[in-house]
Amino acid sequence: MNNNKRQFRIAILDMYNGFENEGMRCIKKIITGFGEKELLNLTYEIFDVRQKLEVPGMDFDAYISTGGPGNPAPSGEAWERKFFRFLDQINAFNASRHNRTKKHLFLICHSFQMASIHWQIGTVGKRRKTSFGTFPVHKTSWGRKDPLLNPLNDPFWIVDSRDFQVIQPDQQAIDNMGAKIICLEKIRPHVPLERAIMAIRFSKEIVGTQFHPEADSEGMLRYFLREDKKKSITENYGEAKYNDMIEHLNDPDKIRMTEATIIPAFLKIAFDKIQEVENIAAAI
């Protein structure tokens, strides 16, 4: 790689609280692969939000905030206050006319839920039972136009792992923020419950998903084919659910397509916008 190229920096906000996860490996893999494909001098730095109270400043080009365990409802902990201040800071930075280069942020699962609470987008509550596995989700009319979802089928397939959900959207808060709901939980006519919000574009630069777009089908297959994981899933969710997951992870039109599309598209848009602004400034 040409070291004279402009360096692009990504901040990863680690919300896993020290728990074992596959998500960080997947995020690193996507970032590295994107940099190689686009021939960018791209680096990332990880901030341990919950254990070390670390949050990035505004000197990064793009931000990805991970999923994580636990209840997203604020309990007054110091790391929560720092995370919410970070959300406000990035919003204020982007709102300032003085900052022509905007900061792009992607929020995953737990981070998405916390942002929805902070910006009062809707009600975040516990599900009757854990949603775990691979599922289809449906785009809204806004989602069909959104550049992150546009290349995907409708419905498209996702990896889901959550005990909580965002429902009952506050349309006034959504309109005031200029946000758009871009996809919803699978259609379940036999279930008399509201469909959860699965993705929101909070602003031009900030987007979040309830599901895990970073999920790597190959890595997840290795993970779920382990005897201990197979035993755990079949005991908790049944053999049919396990077999469905393995089938969907092997299908190139399902989870692999989602992994290859959403976060790479987010990064591509972020860095294209940065380069566009910098090229204009250089030409003046």
Side-chain angles (χ1 to χ4, degrees):
M1 184 174 288
N2 183 356
N3 291 325
N4 293 322
K5 288 182 180 178
R6 194 265 206 214
Q7 185 182 81
F8 291 95
R9 301 172 69 228
I10 299 175
I12 304 174
L13 286 79
D14 178 353
M15 302 284 274
Y16 292 113
N17 202 25
F19 281 73
E20 180 189 2
N21 68 86
E22 285 286 294
M24 186 62 75
R25 178 189 61 78
C26 294
I27 291 168
K28 291 176 182 176
K29 178 187 168 187
I30 290 173
I31 291 172
T32 302
F34 174 80
E36 290 171 353
K37 180 184 176 185
E38 297 295 323
L39 302 177
L40 294 172
N41 183 2
L42 191 152
T43 63
Y44 60 80
E45 187 174 339
I46 297 171
F47 294 81
D48 188 338
V49 180
R50 295 171 74 166
Q51 291 188 311
K52 298 181 181 177
L53 278 68
E54 297 173 342
V55 291
M58 293 294 103
D59 52 340
F60 288 84
D61 297 298
Y63 302 78
I64 297 175
S65 191
T66 75
N71 190 333
S75 58
E77 293 188 48
W79 73 266
E80 296 169 338
R81 293 193 295 273
K82 293 196 80 167
F83 180 70
F84 290 141
R85 279 200 298 271
F86 164 77
L87 293 179
D88 289 338
Q89 189 178 13
I90 204 165
N91 240 351
F93 184 98
N94 288 339
S96 172
R97 290 180 300 170
H98 301 293
N99 298 321
R100 296 181 64 189
T101 302
K102 307 302 181 182
K103 303 297 182 179
H104 292 251
L105 167 65
F106 198 104
L107 300 148
I108 299 171
C109 196
H110 195 84
S111 298
F112 166 79
Q113 294 166 352
M114 291 187 71
S116 297
I117 291 170
H118 184 61
W119 288 321
Q120 301 179 329
I121 292 294
T123 301
V124 180
K126 202 171 193 314
R127 291 175 52 85
R128 285 197 311 184
K129 62 179 183 178
T130 300
S131 177
F132 177 79
T134 52
F135 301 99
V137 294
H138 295 261
K139 302 177 193 179
T140 65
S141 58
W142 290 110
R144 285 191 283 274
K145 302 170 192 171
D146 195 277
L148 300 194
L149 304 187
N150 180 262
L152 296 169
N153 295 327
D154 190 12
F156 63 95
W157 285 80
I158 57 96
V159 170
D160 205 16
S161 177
R162 61 191 163 98
D163 292 310
F164 295 85
Q165 62 186 358
V166 183
I167 55 172
Q168 300 173 1
D170 184 326
Q171 197 58 51
Q172 185 173 346
I174 289 170
D175 291 343
N176 289 344
M177 190 174 185
K180 307 289 184 215
I181 295 169
I182 57 176
C183 76
L184 295 167
E185 198 170 21
K186 65 179 179 178
I187 296 170
R188 304 166 300 168
H190 59 289
V191 178
L193 294 172
E194 184 179 355
R195 292 162 69 199
I197 298 168
M198 297 301 287
I200 298 172
R201 178 163 289 285
F202 295 100
S203 70
K204 287 181 181 178
E205 299 84 18
I206 302 174
V207 66
T209 62
Q210 175 62 80
F211 57 90
H212 289 271
E214 80 280 16
D216 166 347
S217 56
E218 292 179 25
M220 288 191 68
L221 269 172
R222 285 196 301 273
Y223 185 69
F224 290 130
L225 287 171
R226 280 169 38 182
E227 276 305 314
D228 59 330
K229 294 302 173 187
K230 180 178 180 179
K231 183 172 184 288
S232 174
I233 294 167
T234 52
E235 285 178 355
N236 287 290
Y237 303 102
E239 192 167 348
K241 168 71 74 177
Y242 177 81
N243 291 335
D244 279 349
M245 286 177 58
I246 298 302
E247 179 186 339
H248 297 155
L249 288 169
N250 275 311
D251 188 332
D253 292 327
K254 290 191 168 71
I255 303 307
R256 289 188 204 174
M257 182 68 73
T258 302
E259 176 213 349
T261 300
I262 294 182
I263 295 180
F266 162 78
L267 294 172
K268 174 75 170 159
I269 291 165
F271 294 121
D272 280 354
K273 291 285 186 186
I274 291 166
Q275 289 180 314
E276 181 183 321
V277 171
E278 292 181 352
N279 289 340
I280 291 170
I284 294 173

